[in-house]
Amino acid sequence: MQRDQLVSYLNNLLAIDEFKDYAPNGLQVEGKAEIKKLVFGVTASQALIDQAIAQQADMIVVHHGYFWKNEPTTITGIKYQRIKKLIDHDINLVGYHLPLDAHPQLGNNAQLAKLWGLEDITPQPGLVSLVRLGRLSEPMSIELFKQQVASSLAREPLHLPGGPQQVQTISWCSGGAQGYIQQAIDWQADVYISGEVSEQTTHMAAESGIHYLAAGHHATETWGVKALAELVKKEFNLQADYIECVNPV
């Protein structure tokens, strides 16, 4: 398949023009024009690039790419080493950040809802609404729900208690979205889940009557790229493999 055709399809699918993002979405580093083999991953790290080279991939698709706002614009050090390897091996790098969090079917948040058995009841969700509100089919204890989250993500979440013993309304947002806990509080959710945690999150949870689960930035953001890889494989009959580069954060 031609690179430009595939990138155009993905750009339209993920509605990238609807987002004001922190990094460019779509093609970030240009490589060969014809695509036969793709590698998908969460972050365009050196480890992922090396595995893509070993697999003779023509394109890497990630959630965390390059050229973030407020980072140095010079291509030196680690950034130089990564981009040099991409160019030396003629590999395209394609990144989708917020569009791959928010997509209503393929996005990280939509995939987490499926994983945890949540009915999405987000008020006025809209296309680019990142923070979600959901409901479990039946109330369960916070301990049982925490075990469900841990099992699904293969990672024990950090639990900051504050909510009721029995929980049913769950708010969540993948990645580093701990700062959005106020939205979950305003929705009167029993639990808010994101990837990371800040010092003040402890006090926000305790004083606002909500449980907070820091479930891992990486762990909550593998799902969108996995879903996108499966779609590309099915739609275009291309080799498209997700590669896990373990990250405990």
Side-chain angles (χ1 to χ4, degrees):
M1 188 173 185
Q2 292 300 300
R3 174 198 61 232
D4 293 347
Q5 181 187 0
L6 179 56
V7 171
S8 178
Y9 170 84
L10 294 174
N11 290 351
N12 290 329
L13 174 70
L14 297 173
I16 66 171
D17 292 337
E18 299 291 331
F19 294 85
K20 185 178 180 181
D21 213 333
Y22 309 103
N25 288 297
L27 184 65
Q28 294 187 346
V29 178
E30 185 176 305
K32 62 188 67 173
E34 186 177 6
I35 307 301
K36 296 179 181 178
K37 165 75 175 179
L38 296 93
V39 158
F40 288 73
V42 176
T43 299
S45 64
Q46 191 67 67
L48 182 64
I49 293 170
D50 288 344
Q51 291 196 57
I53 292 169
Q55 294 193 21
Q56 298 183 313
D58 306 307
M59 179 180 285
I60 302 173
V61 181
V62 294
H63 182 49
H64 300 138
Y66 301 154
F67 311 115
W68 298 89
K69 289 181 181 178
N70 300 322
E71 74 173 18
T73 56
T74 52
I75 301 177
T76 58
I78 289 173
K79 186 189 293 186
Y80 166 77
Q81 294 299 331
R82 292 173 174 178
I83 292 174
K84 182 178 187 299
K85 279 210 168 182
L86 290 170
I87 293 173
D88 286 348
H89 292 86
D90 212 11
I91 298 174
N92 297 277
L93 177 68
V94 180
Y96 296 106
H97 185 230
L98 295 184
L100 200 51
D101 287 315
H103 192 275
Q105 286 83 41
L106 300 170
N108 288 317
N109 289 323
Q111 294 294 313
L112 290 172
K114 291 180 184 178
L115 203 63
W116 298 330
L118 297 173
E119 175 194 1
D120 194 323
I121 57 169
T122 308
Q124 300 178 333
L127 178 64
V128 298
S129 177
L130 294 173
V131 185
R132 317 302 297 174
L133 181 68
R135 181 189 290 118
L136 294 165
S137 59
E138 297 288 341
M140 66 172 65
S141 71
I142 182 60
E143 289 303 319
L144 187 58
F145 180 68
K146 185 170 68 172
Q147 289 172 22
Q148 180 177 314
V149 171
S151 176
S152 66
L153 300 182
R155 182 188 189 280
E156 188 70 27
L158 172 65
H159 177 203
L160 304 179
Q165 180 55 36
Q166 293 289 112
V167 301
Q168 187 169 23
T169 54
I170 314 296
S171 182
W172 75 101
C173 186
S174 64
Q178 64 269 34
Y180 290 118
I181 189 173
Q182 186 60 54
Q183 180 63 78
I185 293 166
D186 292 345
W187 282 336
Q188 298 183 319
D190 298 322
V191 182
Y192 179 55
I193 308 172
S194 189
E196 298 185 30
V197 67
S198 299
E199 188 274 342
Q200 64 266 28
T201 315
T202 301
H203 311 296
M204 289 285 289
E207 296 171 28
S208 300
I210 191 170
H211 295 285
Y212 181 72
L213 299 181
H217 194 136
H218 177 88
T220 58
E221 294 195 330
T222 65
W223 308 95
V225 283
K226 287 179 180 177
L228 197 59
E230 289 302 312
L231 177 72
V232 168
K233 189 183 300 185
K234 179 181 177 181
E235 290 292 318
F236 301 109
N237 196 30
L238 292 167
Q239 287 183 278
D241 297 324
Y242 172 80
I243 291 179
E244 172 67 6
C245 295
V246 176
N247 187 335
V249 175

